[in-house]
């Protein structure tokens, strides 16, 4: 279950239903395992080794859900900053960028990607705006590359998907260290 919860680190940060359902499913499964284990074992007043293992494993699963909550929050902060800079997405409907995101349910990395939202609404208006914004298609990628030389905190705030990248490495390493310690102590 712990390793299954790590799959969410490879799922796109904007795929909210996939990551939330995977996280909640693994948390609920771990709580079911803990409950089943505690009812099948004899009732004692002290902490058993299996309790330690299951509670720490449950904590790792819970941390993977918290990790996505942090990524989702930082994505929202990043979106708000982008929306304040860009202003409106669709001139035709004169709707705010936040409202446009709520309309199609997607976060958009670039202005071209944001403009594709209105493609189904008015393809002629889309083609006109695409020609206007085409030189700046890689501006977000350039900003991300430039920020790598700065401070770690700023990198995480500007590129919240970096948290997923670090989590892919950090979670397994820490869990393996826990297992080495646990099996060394209790065996």
């Amino acid at each position: 279950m712990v390793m299954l919860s790590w799959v969410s680190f490879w799922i796109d940060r904007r795929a909210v239903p996939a990551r939330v359902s995977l996280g909640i499913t693994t948390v609920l499964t771990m709580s079911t395992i803990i409950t089943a284990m505690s009812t099948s074992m004899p009732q004692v007043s002290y902490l058993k080794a299996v309790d330690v293992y299951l509670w720490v494993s449950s904590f790792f699963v819970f941390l993977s859900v918290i990790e996505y909550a942090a990524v989702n929050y930082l994505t929202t902060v990043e979106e708000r900053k982008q929306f304040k800079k860009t202003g409106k997405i669709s001139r035709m409907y004169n709707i705010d960028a936040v409202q446009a995101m709520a309309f199609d349910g997607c976060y958009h990395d670039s202005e071209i990607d944001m403009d594709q939202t209105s493609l189904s609404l008015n393809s002629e208006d889309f083609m006109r705006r695409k020609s206007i914004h085409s030189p700046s298609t890689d501006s977000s990628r350039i900003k991300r590359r430039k920020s790598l030389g700065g401070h770690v905190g700023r990198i995480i705030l500007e590129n919240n998907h970096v948290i997923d990248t670090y989590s892919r490495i950090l979670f397994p390493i820490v869990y393996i260290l826990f297992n080495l310690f646990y099996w060394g102590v209790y065996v």
Side-chain angles (χ1 to χ4, degrees), residues 1-21:
M1 285 288 96
V2 174
M3 288 182 225
L4 182 62
S5 71
W6 298 339
V7 171
S8 69
F9 303 148
W10 278 270
I11 297 174
D12 188 6
R13 68 179 187 250
R14 293 163 288 194
V16 175
R19 288 187 75 159
V20 169
S21 62

Side-chain angles (χ1 to χ4, degrees), residues 55-96:
W55 280 105
V56 171
S57 296
S58 179
F59 181 69
F60 273 93
V61 170
F62 182 71
L63 282 179
S64 71
V65 174
I66 296 299
E67 183 269 350
Y68 178 61
V71 167
N72 192 25
Y73 174 75
L74 292 174
T75 299
T76 304
V77 168
E78 182 181 328
E79 288 172 1
R80 286 184 184 153
K81 286 180 183 177
Q82 277 187 347
F83 293 153
K84 284 181 182 178
K85 288 179 185 176
T86 60
K88 309 267 182 202
I89 289 180
S90 174
R91 292 179 211 145
M92 186 174 115
Y93 288 99
N94 200 20
I95 56 176
D96 202 38

